[in-house]
């Protein structure tokens, strides 16, 4: 992989017409270590957030030993970078053949369920393979209510009374039993985990046995940009969320059992940025060579303002306006699809023009993993970059009201 100090150097050297991902392995390792140091339990990275081999390998190098996986493709991706990494199969609804593959070929011994039929499937495989159920930890996924940019709690999870029944049934069959939840992604309210812990507490207090563990899922927010035309939502920092969560875990007495977290977004968001080229400027619209069907679908569904940095093409000799004047541009994606328009503008100097580049920051989560080949566009070019996105020149997309007043 070619290496550059920053995206500007990469863009000016390569003059790329296709999108280029700028990977920062040291940023990834630092963010992974920071999470592991601040969470009082095991960190199982959620592979669906970004399952690229370069990412998984760097995480193993950073000391991540456990991975949250959901499919045969993810089992194989983790095995390819580590022969002994532990895998937690936390998808509550699984194909029976996938359960068999997980237990038989990949030696997976941690699994999640939220319905009695999933227990039936699991037990059928366990009996067929003659595995001792006592060697398997089954986490019962409980429903949670909360607010996150992406609400996932509506899709999965057993109601509290049902969770008690499922847990008792699993225990009678001989499994070790834990509880898990997943509050959604990019949570905005630090009370979210507490509400989920209160549900877990309700379930635990009705059980006839000791739990083998608690898995608090993912949802930890990453840092993005802010659209100055909208009311700023106060985002809690990871430090604030962690000290609150650790305190709540203690208060509910969950700190005395094995704990697991499944962070995705917060670990990988900062490690990638993306260089895109302005294919055409039409008034206050920019047509770029990426879009919602490639790297930018997550920001579209989550209505996230991505931080963006202007990389002017030095070959453009005359420009209109002032580079100091930061204005919003509507951003249109590469495909012919008319919905391929970002839900939030990019804030950039008014001088941006056809042929310039834009570096989009903090795009490591749910970008590469959600790419499609729609319309024949599939960004897949990588370079390594050493300077973190948040260092160097201020990204214009972080524009606040203060800088707007300029
Ligand atoms: C997607 C997912 C995660 C990761 O969520 P983030 O918000 O990216 O941290 C963790 N656990 C489960 C079960 C998931 O589905």
């Amino acid at each position: 992989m070619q290496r550059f100090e920053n995206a500007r150097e990469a863009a000016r050297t390569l003059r790329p017409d296709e999108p280029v991902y700028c990977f920062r392995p040291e940023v990834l390792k630092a963010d992974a270590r920071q999470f592991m140091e601040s969470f009082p339990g095991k960190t199982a990275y959620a592979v669906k957030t970004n399952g690229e081999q370069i990412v998984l390998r760097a995480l193993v190098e950073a000391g991540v030993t456990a991975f949250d996986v959901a499919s045969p493709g993810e089992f194989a991706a983790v095995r390819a970078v580590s022969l002994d990494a532990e895998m937690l199969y936390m998808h509550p609804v699984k194909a029976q053949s996938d359960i068999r593959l997980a237990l038989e070929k990949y030696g997976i011994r941690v699994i999640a369920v939220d319905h009695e039929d999933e227990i039936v499937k699991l037990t059928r495989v366990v009996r067929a393979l003659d595995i001792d159920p006592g060697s398997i930890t089954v986490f019962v996924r409980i429903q949670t209510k909360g607010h996150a940019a992406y609400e996932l709690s509506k899709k999965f999870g057993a109601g509290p009374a049902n969770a008690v029944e499922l847990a008792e049934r699993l225990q009678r069959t001989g499994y070790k039993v834990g509880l898990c939840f997943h509050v959604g992604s990019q949570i905005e309210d630090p009370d979210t985990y507490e509400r989920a812990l209160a549900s877990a507490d309700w379930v635990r207090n009705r059980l006839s046995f000791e739990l083998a563990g608690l898995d608090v899922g993912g949802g930890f927010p990453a840092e993005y940009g802010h659209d100055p035309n909208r009311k700023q939502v106060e985002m809690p920092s990871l430090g604030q969320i962690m000290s609150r969560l650790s305190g709540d875990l203690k208060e509910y007495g969950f700190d005395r059992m094995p704990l697991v977290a499944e962070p995705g977004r917060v670990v990988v968001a900062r490690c990638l940025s993306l260089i895109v080229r302005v294919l055409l400027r039409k008034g206050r619209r920019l047509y770029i060579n990426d879009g919602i069907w490639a790297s930018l679908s997550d920001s579209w569904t989550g209505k996230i303002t991505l931080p963006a940095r202007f990389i002017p093409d030095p070959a453009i000799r005359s420009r209109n306006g002032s580079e100091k004047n930061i204005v919003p541009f509507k951003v249109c994606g590469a495909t012919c699809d008319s919905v391929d328009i970002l839900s939030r503008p990019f804030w950039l100097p008014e001088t941006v023009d056809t042929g310039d580049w834009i570096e989009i920051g903090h795009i490591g989560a749910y970008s590469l993993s959600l790419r499609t080949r729609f319309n024949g566009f599939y960004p897949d070019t990588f370079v390594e970059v050493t300077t973190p996105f948040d260092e160097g020149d201020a990204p214009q997309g972080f524009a606040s009201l203060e800088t707007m007043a300029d």
Side-chain angles (χ1 to χ4, degrees):
M1 207 184 295
Q2 266 185 287
R3 214 163 150 189
F4 299 93
E5 199 177 310
N6 53 41
R8 176 180 297 251
E9 189 194 308
R12 293 196 168 163
T13 308
L14 304 171
R15 300 188 58 79
D17 259 348
E18 73 290 335
V20 175
Y21 293 106
C22 302
F23 180 48
R24 295 163 170 85
E26 293 314 313
V27 170
L28 176 57
K29 289 179 198 174
D31 286 353
R33 287 191 191 111
Q34 197 202 343
F35 189 93
M36 289 188 283
E37 279 159 22
S38 58
F39 180 71
K42 183 189 289 182
T43 297
Y45 169 70
V47 173
K48 79 166 184 292
T49 318
N50 187 327
E52 293 293 310
Q53 292 290 292
I54 50 170
V55 167
L56 298 179
R57 201 167 294 124
L59 288 172
V60 169
E61 284 167 19
V64 175
T65 57
F67 292 84
D68 162 21
V69 289
S71 65
E74 292 187 353
F75 309 157
V78 172
R79 242 338 137 250
V81 296
S82 169
L83 290 176
D84 50 10
E86 183 186 4
M87 288 190 250
L88 287 64
Y89 189 8
M90 301 307 283
H91 197 316
V93 181
K94 300 164 287 295
Q96 185 161 307
S97 52
D98 291 349
I99 298 174
R100 184 174 183 120
L101 186 75
L103 297 181
E104 189 174 27
K105 177 168 173 199
Y106 289 98
I108 292 174
R109 289 297 181 267
V110 178
I111 203 158
V113 300
D114 72 353
H115 192 275
E116 42 273 19
D117 290 354
E118 287 293 315
I119 302 178
V120 172
K121 279 189 234 172
L122 172 64
T123 302
R124 222 182 267 144
V125 177
V126 166
R127 298 237 159 95
L129 296 176
D130 191 25
I131 295 170
D132 173 10
S135 67
I136 299 177
T137 305
V138 184
F139 282 90
V140 176
R141 173 124 165 209
I142 55 175
Q143 243 168 30
T144 60
K145 290 184 203 70
H147 299 282
Y150 309 83
E151 207 39 69
L152 295 179
S153 46
K154 289 190 192 84
K155 184 166 174 184
F156 298 122
N162 185 217
V164 173
E165 285 169 28
L166 296 174
E168 291 290 342
R169 178 167 172 182
L170 286 162
Q171 203 262 345
R172 281 197 305 274
T173 315
Y175 296 106
K176 285 183 277 195
V177 183
L179 297 178
C180 68
F181 52 78
H182 177 55
V183 293
S185 204
Q186 189 71 4
I187 65 149
E188 291 160 359
D189 177 359
D191 291 341
T192 309
Y193 290 106
E194 209 222 311
R195 280 193 293 268
L197 290 177
S199 301
D201 181 54
W202 191 96
V203 174
R204 176 188 51 186
N205 291 338
R206 282 155 185 80
L207 295 177
S208 64
F209 61 94
E210 290 287 311
L211 284 173
L214 177 75
D215 182 334
V216 301
F220 305 89
E223 194 187 323
Y224 293 110
H226 163 60
D227 182 344
N229 277 354
R230 287 171 189 274
K231 191 167 156 279
Q232 183 146 18
V233 190
E234 264 313 316
M235 288 298 287
S237 70
L238 180 63
Q240 284 166 331
I241 288 185
M242 274 304 183
S243 65
R244 181 71 196 280
L245 176 58
S246 301
D248 292 339
L249 284 165
K250 245 192 214 108
E251 209 163 291
Y252 283 104
F254 284 120
D255 59 324
R256 292 185 295 269
M257 65 176 69
L259 295 171
V260 184
E262 304 160 354
R265 185 184 293 279
V266 72
V267 171
V268 290
R270 273 191 343 127
C271 78
L272 281 158
S273 67
L274 178 70
I275 302 169
V276 297
R277 194 159 205 183
V278 178
L279 301 178
L280 179 70
R281 172 175 175 173
K282 201 191 263 184
R284 278 291 180 84
R285 276 177 179 227
L286 300 178
Y287 293 78
I288 62 170
N289 57 356
D290 202 308
I292 68 158
W293 299 108
S295 318
L296 303 172
S297 75
D298 171 71
S299 70
W300 185 66
T301 32
K303 297 194 167 32
I304 283 169
T305 299
L306 290 163
R309 182 185 275 125
F310 181 39
I311 306 179
D313 180 357
I316 299 174
R317 296 278 143 71
S318 85
R319 292 178 183 273
N320 294 322
S322 155
E323 197 164 320
K324 289 209 168 59
N325 199 16
I326 309 296
V327 296
F329 286 93
K330 195 177 200 111
V331 182
C332 300
T335 68
C336 304
D337 182 359
S338 59
V339 305
D340 190 3
I341 299 176
L342 296 196
S343 53
R344 292 288 180 267
F346 281 178
W347 290 78
L348 293 166
E350 64 180 355
T351 52
V352 64
D353 211 345
T354 302
D356 286 325
W357 294 277
I358 300 165
E359 182 188 18
I360 305 171
H362 296 199
I363 198 164
Y366 306 106
S367 49
L368 292 119
S369 52
L370 288 172
R371 281 172 297 176
T372 74
R373 293 185 188 275
F374 182 43
N375 230 180
F377 297 104
Y378 188 76
D380 202 30
T381 305
F382 292 80
V383 298
E384 194 177 312
V385 157
T386 47
T387 314
F389 179 82
D390 3 34
E391 285 172 24
D393 307 339
Q396 287 88 2
F398 273 125
S400 68
L401 284 169
E402 285 74 44
T403 44
M404 288 307 295
D406 257 329

